[in-house]
Amino acid sequence: MNALSAATPFDALRGQLQAAASEFADGADALQSILLGIVDDVDRAGREPLEIFPVCHHSPASAVAMARRLREKQPKVVYLELCEDMAPLLPELRNCRLPVAVQAFASEVEGFPAAWAPLSVVAPITEASAEYQAIAYALDTPGVELVLVDRSSDHVFQWQAGAAGPTDPAAPPADEEAALHGDAVGVEIGDLRPRFAELEEHLLHHGRVRHWSEWWHQYVELPLGDSDHDTYRQVMLLIGSLFRRLAPGDPDRVRVDEDRERYMWTRIREHLAATGTDPGDCLYVCGAFHASSRVEEFGVHGSDTFEITPPGGSTWQYGLIPSSHAAIEAQFGLAAGSVSIAATQWAKNLRRTRVQPFRLAGQAGAGRKAAKPGKAVAPPVPATAEAPSDRLTGFLQSPPALDRLDEAELLGWSVEIVRSARRNGYLASTADAIAVFETSILLAGMRDRARPTPYDFQDAAVTCIEKESVPGRRDVRRLVEILMGGDRIGQVGYDALPPLARDVHDRLAPLGLKLQQRGVRRALLDMTSQPALRQCSDVLWMLRRLMPHGAARPIMGERELGKQSVQESWDLALGTHQRALIELGYEGVSIEQVLEQRLRRAAYAPNATTAQVLGAVEDALLHLRGGRLADELGTRALEVLATERSVDGAPEVLRRVRRLLAYYRISRPELPAWIESFAKTGYAHYCTLLPTAFTDEDATVRQVAAMLGFLFSMEGLALSLGCDRTQLDLAFAQSHPREPSRVALLWAARVQLGQLSRAELRERCDALLANPLVVPAYPRYLSGFLHALEPVPQLADFVVEAVSNAFARLPDPVLLPWLPTLITTLRSEGADLAPLLIREAGRVFPGRLAALDAWVPPWRTAPEAPAASAGAHGGTAGRAALLAAHRETCDGVAELLGYEGTWVEEAPAPSGVILAGRHPETAAAVEELLAAA
């Protein structure tokens, strides 16, 4: 070992770098230590008994090198940098179409701040990735063990608890495919990007590229695409060590990186000790950044001082969710289209190197040549005992290989992008295809490239075709991404879905639709001819309640309390929203269970309002057929109402209580106990808050009107249950609003209570119009009257009268400036009540324009002669005169009843003096009462 350490294959490279550091940095020790340290890192990793295979995240070069090395070495154990608790889920990849993401999800959080919930960790996997090649080899090769050695999902958040918290995702992408991962924390297998901003800017500037993905494609992917194993390995170790040594000293990130390396090496040594496996028969797949680690625990002979803490108490669920190229790019900050270009490069590398990749047998989209389970690969080539040679010197000193121009490929790209641009509304022609072809070659030459890359072609297409505007939904840059392979979107197969998702698909099977496919499917349900579809309708309405908008959207049909549709039409996109359906499976085994849990959680939340709890009651009745759960949530609504001290939710409370009360009255022989108690408590509660609400500036007129609506509509029920009407009278006696709309609302309420007549109300409105100082505020009075239609709907004709009088009496100089205020006030504050007002106006006003000139408003007609009210007995005298004038009718009725009688003339009504003489007892009693007083 000492002899090996004294003379290593990299001694010559060390001397060259030391001389270069002395020449260019005037002997500075900093540069010399960095350059020599990089070589030491490469040498150290290369001499490790356990072969370390450095990779980059979703790199085609890494994937090709991995497939080649696995067929050469055929290791018995593959250690993979991936969360160790995700191992049981990897065999389900064969039931999916890549790309997909392995997800760990925790909705019940323990040991972490509640604001972090729900916790979600995803690890996306594509076919053009080294990790997938390792997984496919290990799962389909007999006798090979796959061991995940990275920290668990719980440790991902444990190690971030001491820092600022979980990594905050960027702004949510607008593209639907880019949001497939949601706000999950991504686990990068082989993260390899400079963490030193000045270094990345320097590389981009001198590489003549725009972003890091293009630099990596040009200077790493293409040179390493067909390189041998030793060259690939040493170059990747070199890049990882360079980025590691030039990374800024962020203490939190450095701590997490080093703890991950300690964790992985500790797990590797534990497995080697437990199984007795020879390290030479193993392969350790990790990111190049971690392959050049300098922690004490590095290597199979490292120290065992690192202690792995146990997972927390959070309940983790695991599943596979669909992913896409755009989602991976958005999750990890890659350039748009880079993963699609990598997939295209992967196919080219396979054709050029003739390397046979590994694919899971039976996987959707896999080629026919995929190995069958149980079939071993070819025997390994006997490995020689030669020490690794220095391949870095030759790679660093050799000029870049000039890849000749593939004119046929570039011409095909140019023709296809013009054809695609035409389909998307661009005025592109053959001349544009020629221009794109020539410009691509020109840009590549300006950037010292013999062959245009997809990025050069993309820039040329944007320059020559897009010009100034984008006529369609897609711009030229997006069209090039589609041309290079498009945004492939994965799919999780039926067998890999959680039980809830499979249950949903089974229950919707009678629809006869391919709901696992992406896109919108139209479902037509005729429950009259096919009663079995009623169960499908129940499932769809619950999915609409639980899943994002667009997953299940009703086109025709409704579900309300007491109503059921006989025909429904739905737009279903369950395949597009497969991630949301899978995450529902983490919450329960059926959608009924998940819905019940969510309703309970919403009702018992600390900030739950009465309206929200009543909404949960209504949902329980609609989707779960009510019963015990609805009564329990109704009791909870009663508790929340008793603790509220504001009227913010009064309109929603009124609307929901009316619906629930109407439903219970028609569906049950008697009201539930909770809604009777709710009526009593609500009556007393709103009576108490009413005087304050009339003068509270924070309370709106609509909220006060809703309070009055609750009091008036629930008054009969509340009084029958033992409430006292005096509470309401005292509340109105203590109400003294000053704001015009609330004053009008109070007047209308008093009309309902009989404390104010319509004639008096009309006089007050006339006085308002007659006062020039009050006329500018008259629209606000009208707003109050309009809101009064909620508790007092019978005042609709009076509101029409008030508005008509304003238009009839106000002169144009006053009315015209005042009119916009009226319109905006009515629109903003009473839009939902305006239809009632319009309907009443249509009933009052004439239906034809010709009749308008002769039309007299009903409120201006002269009152009838007060003959009927001339005396206390005037009505009786009128009826007696009518009978005497038409004696035949009375005689016929008497004969029918078998009664014989004679007509007598009516005596004059006795006067008060005659009555007092006939009944002296009453007068004597009054006399005694007055004498006693």
Side-chain angles (χ1 to χ4, degrees):
M1 180 66 71
N2 294 334
L4 183 61
S5 301
T8 65
F10 299 99
D11 288 342
L13 181 59
R14 285 192 180 92
Q16 296 179 18
L17 294 178
Q18 187 172 6
S22 301
E23 178 180 355
F24 293 103
D26 296 331
D29 293 336
L31 179 60
Q32 180 175 336
S33 63
I34 292 175
L35 295 179
L36 296 183
I38 293 173
V39 180
D40 292 339
D41 291 340
V42 176
D43 189 15
R44 181 189 183 192
R47 289 187 285 108
E48 177 63 32
L50 172 61
E51 180 177 339
I52 303 174
F53 195 96
V55 300
C56 177
H57 192 53
H58 301 301
S59 167
S62 296
V64 171
M66 173 62 71
R68 182 193 296 114
R69 186 56 180 166
L70 289 173
R71 294 191 180 278
E72 293 174 355
K73 183 180 178 67
Q74 296 188 18
K76 298 179 180 178
V77 178
V78 177
Y79 298 109
L80 182 62
E81 178 191 332
L82 187 63
C83 294
E84 59 182 1
D85 53 337
M86 295 180 176
L89 206 61
L90 296 182
E92 296 295 338
L93 288 174
R94 69 176 72 254
N95 297 318
C96 305
R97 184 176 67 242
L98 299 182
V100 296
V102 186
Q103 183 185 38
F105 187 90
S107 57
E108 298 180 2
V109 176
E110 183 175 341
F112 303 109
W116 291 13
L119 306 180
S120 181
V121 179
V122 296
I125 298 176
T126 62
E127 186 176 353
S129 60
E131 56 269 21
Y132 174 73
Q133 294 299 307
I135 292 171
Y137 163 78
L139 293 182
D140 281 356
T141 305
V144 177
E145 185 179 3
L146 178 65
V147 182
L148 306 186
V149 295
D150 200 0
R151 55 185 175 165
S152 67
S153 303
D154 197 87
H155 285 90
V156 171
F157 294 94
Q158 280 189 28
W159 293 354
Q160 292 180 351
T167 305
D168 295 332
D175 190 5
E176 181 179 290
E177 283 72 21
L180 287 178
H181 294 175
D183 55 355
V185 175
V187 176
E188 294 188 355
I189 306 174
D191 177 20
L192 199 60
R193 184 169 184 168
R195 298 182 183 177
F196 190 37
E198 288 77 4
L199 173 60
E200 182 171 344
E201 183 179 354
H202 176 82
L203 294 176
L204 297 182
H205 175 71
H206 290 277
R208 299 180 182 181
V209 294
R210 293 167 298 162
H211 43 71
W212 175 250
S213 299
E214 185 176 359
W215 186 93
W216 182 267
H217 175 85
Q218 177 66 25
Y219 295 99
V220 180
E221 284 295 334
L222 296 181
L224 293 181
D226 53 358
S227 62
D228 60 275
H229 171 65
D230 290 336
T231 301
Y232 165 82
R233 188 179 176 207
Q234 293 176 15
V235 170
M236 293 295 289
L237 289 171
L238 171 70
I239 296 174
S241 178
L242 174 66
F243 291 169
R244 189 184 189 95
R245 290 182 176 272
L246 294 182
D250 183 358
D252 292 329
R253 189 163 189 179
V254 171
R255 173 183 59 82
V256 172
D257 288 335
E258 292 182 349
D259 284 347
R260 288 182 66 186
E261 293 155 7
R262 296 186 179 100
Y263 194 107
M264 290 187 285
W265 280 111
T266 301
R267 289 303 194 202
I268 290 174
R269 285 193 297 272
E270 291 177 353
H271 182 269
L272 290 175
T275 60
T277 308
D278 184 4
D281 295 334
C282 304
L283 187 68
Y284 174 30
V285 182
C286 66
F289 189 89
H290 299 295
S292 304
S293 174
R294 301 188 301 274
V295 298
E296 295 180 358
E297 291 80 3
F298 179 87
V300 295
H301 301 296
S303 64
D304 291 322
T305 58
F306 183 70
E307 182 180 356
I308 298 178
T309 60
S314 300
T315 303
W316 288 92
Q317 303 286 337
Y318 302 91
L320 296 171
I321 62 173
S323 183
S324 67
H325 292 173
I328 297 173
E329 294 159 358
Q331 183 77 37
F332 303 115
L334 304 177
S338 59
V339 179
S340 298
I341 293 175
T344 304
Q345 187 64 34
W346 156 257
K348 291 182 180 179
N349 289 348
L350 293 180
R351 290 194 299 267
R352 183 172 63 251
T353 61
R354 299 182 183 276
V355 173
Q356 183 179 359
F358 291 93
R359 293 188 178 94
L360 289 171
Q363 186 170 31
R368 294 182 180 179
K369 297 182 179 181
K372 296 181 179 180
K375 183 179 180 181
V377 294
V381 178
T384 60
E386 298 180 359
S389 59
D390 177 16
R391 301 297 181 91
L392 280 179
T393 302
F395 182 84
L396 296 176
Q397 291 181 349
S398 61
L402 297 179
D403 195 1
R404 65 182 182 85
L405 172 63
D406 189 346
E407 294 187 359
E409 180 187 57
L410 182 59
L411 185 60
W413 287 355
S414 303
V415 172
E416 289 299 325
I417 191 60
V418 169
R419 181 181 292 114
S420 177
R422 287 175 180 171
R423 288 196 299 265
N424 286 269
Y426 289 91
L427 299 177
S429 61
T430 305
D432 292 308
I434 298 174
V436 171
F437 180 86
E438 298 294 341
T439 306
S440 301
I441 299 176
L442 177 62
L443 288 177
M446 295 173 61
R447 296 166 179 172
D448 296 332
R449 303 169 188 169
R451 177 178 182 174
T453 66
Y455 298 97
D456 298 326
F457 172 75
Q458 188 179 60
D459 292 341
V462 172
T463 303
C464 299
I465 297 178
E466 189 166 293
K467 300 180 177 67
E468 297 180 355
S469 62
V470 178
R473 185 169 58 92
R474 298 188 177 102
D475 57 6
V476 174
R477 191 174 303 278
R478 176 60 177 159
L479 296 179
V480 174
E481 294 173 8
I482 297 174
L483 176 64
M484 293 298 165
D487 183 17
R488 298 180 186 175
I489 302 173
Q491 184 185 49
V492 179
Y494 174 85
D495 294 331
L497 292 174
L500 180 144
R502 293 200 300 267
D503 179 63
V504 168
H505 284 288
D506 293 342
R507 294 168 67 177
L508 295 180
L511 297 178
L513 302 176
K514 298 179 180 179
L515 297 178
Q516 285 192 276
Q517 296 181 356
R518 294 183 59 84
V520 179
R521 300 288 184 271
R522 176 64 59 85
L524 302 176
L525 286 75
D526 185 0
M527 276 76 76
T528 303
S529 59
Q530 294 178 292
L533 295 181
R534 178 70 63 184
Q535 297 180 356
C536 296
S537 175
D538 297 338
V539 174
L540 293 177
W541 284 109
M542 283 187 281
L543 290 178
R544 179 177 180 267
R545 172 64 172 76
L546 295 172
M547 294 189 65
H549 176 74
R553 186 168 63 92
I555 304 301
M556 181 184 69
E558 61 180 358
R559 174 157 291 197
E560 297 179 357
L561 291 177
K563 297 181 181 178
Q564 285 188 347
S565 303
V566 295
Q567 289 184 339
E568 293 177 355
S569 175
W570 290 81
D571 276 350
L572 304 179
L574 298 184
T576 305
H577 296 83
Q578 192 178 46
R579 177 183 67 87
L581 182 60
I582 292 173
E583 290 183 352
L584 282 182
Y586 301 152
E587 302 182 45
V589 296
S590 66
I591 53 177
E592 288 83 1
Q593 180 186 4
V594 173
L595 180 57
E596 181 175 349
Q597 292 176 354
R598 290 195 179 183
L599 293 179
R600 291 181 188 274
R601 193 180 305 122
Y604 287 92
N607 57 345
T609 63
T610 306
Q612 292 173 349
V613 182
L614 289 176
V617 175
E618 189 171 348
D619 288 338
L621 292 172
L622 283 175
H623 306 300
L624 302 177
R625 299 296 184 259
R628 172 186 50 81
L629 178 61
D631 294 341
E632 177 187 343
L633 298 180
T635 305
R636 172 61 181 169
L638 180 61
E639 298 173 358
V640 175
L641 177 66
T643 60
E644 284 186 346
R645 293 296 178 264
S646 66
V647 296
D648 296 341
E652 188 69 16
V653 170
L654 173 62
R655 185 160 49 248
R656 293 192 180 277
V657 166
R658 282 178 173 173
R659 284 203 296 261
L660 290 170
L661 192 59
Y663 169 76
Y664 281 125
R665 281 174 172 169
I666 64 175
S667 62
R668 292 192 181 183
E670 59 182 8
L671 295 178
W674 75 266
I675 201 168
E676 293 182 350
S677 301
F678 191 90
K680 292 172 55 178
T681 304
Y683 188 82
H685 179 73
Y686 285 131
C687 282
T688 304
L689 296 180
L690 187 61
T692 305
F694 265 117
T695 56
D696 188 4
E697 295 181 357
D698 295 333
T700 64
V701 183
R702 183 183 180 187
Q703 293 169 354
V704 180
M707 293 176 60
L708 294 174
F710 184 93
L711 293 173
F712 292 158
S713 59
M714 297 291 169
E715 183 178 15
L717 178 60
L719 295 180
S720 66
L721 296 174
C723 290
D724 191 355
R725 175 66 180 274
T726 309
Q727 292 178 293
L728 186 61
D729 296 335
L730 291 176
F732 276 96
Q734 297 173 359
S735 302
H736 304 287
R738 295 184 179 181
E739 199 272 331
S741 59
R742 304 182 190 215
V743 171
L745 185 60
L746 179 61
W747 291 349
R750 287 183 171 174
V751 171
Q752 172 69 15
L753 294 176
Q755 300 176 358
L756 191 69
S757 65
R758 285 204 174 199
E760 294 174 339
L761 183 60
R762 185 176 291 108
E763 291 176 359
R764 295 187 180 187
C765 292
D766 293 340
L768 294 177
L769 289 176
N771 190 345
L773 299 178
V774 183
V775 167
Y778 193 72
R780 298 167 66 185
Y781 284 94
L782 292 180
S783 174
F785 286 128
L786 183 61
H787 282 290
L789 297 181
E790 179 74 43
V792 194
Q794 57 269 29
L795 280 183
D797 57 340
F798 179 82
V799 179
V800 172
E801 174 186 345
V803 175
S804 302
N805 286 336
F807 279 86
R809 295 180 55 177
L810 294 178
D812 289 346
V814 176
L815 182 62
L816 294 180
W818 174 79
L819 192 57
T821 306
L822 172 65
I823 296 175
T824 55
T825 301
L826 296 180
R827 177 178 296 178
S828 61
E829 298 183 3
D832 53 341
L833 297 171
L836 179 61
L837 192 65
I838 295 173
R839 188 163 54 249
E840 181 63 24
R843 186 188 66 83
V844 172
F845 287 92
R848 296 182 178 275
L849 183 62
L852 185 62
D853 294 336
W855 175 72
V856 177
W859 53 85
R860 289 190 179 180
T861 57
E864 297 180 1
S869 59
H873 59 285
T876 305
R879 290 192 293 271
L882 184 63
L883 289 176
H886 305 279
R887 297 183 178 184
E888 298 82 2
T889 304
C890 189
D891 291 338
V893 173
E895 183 178 357
L896 181 63
L897 296 176
Y899 177 77
E900 296 181 0
T902 58
W903 286 93
V904 297
E905 297 297 329
E906 183 180 7
S911 64
V913 179
I914 299 174
L915 289 176
R918 292 180 180 178
H919 305 283
E921 297 83 1
T922 304
V926 173
E927 182 181 3
E928 293 178 1
L929 181 63
L930 294 177

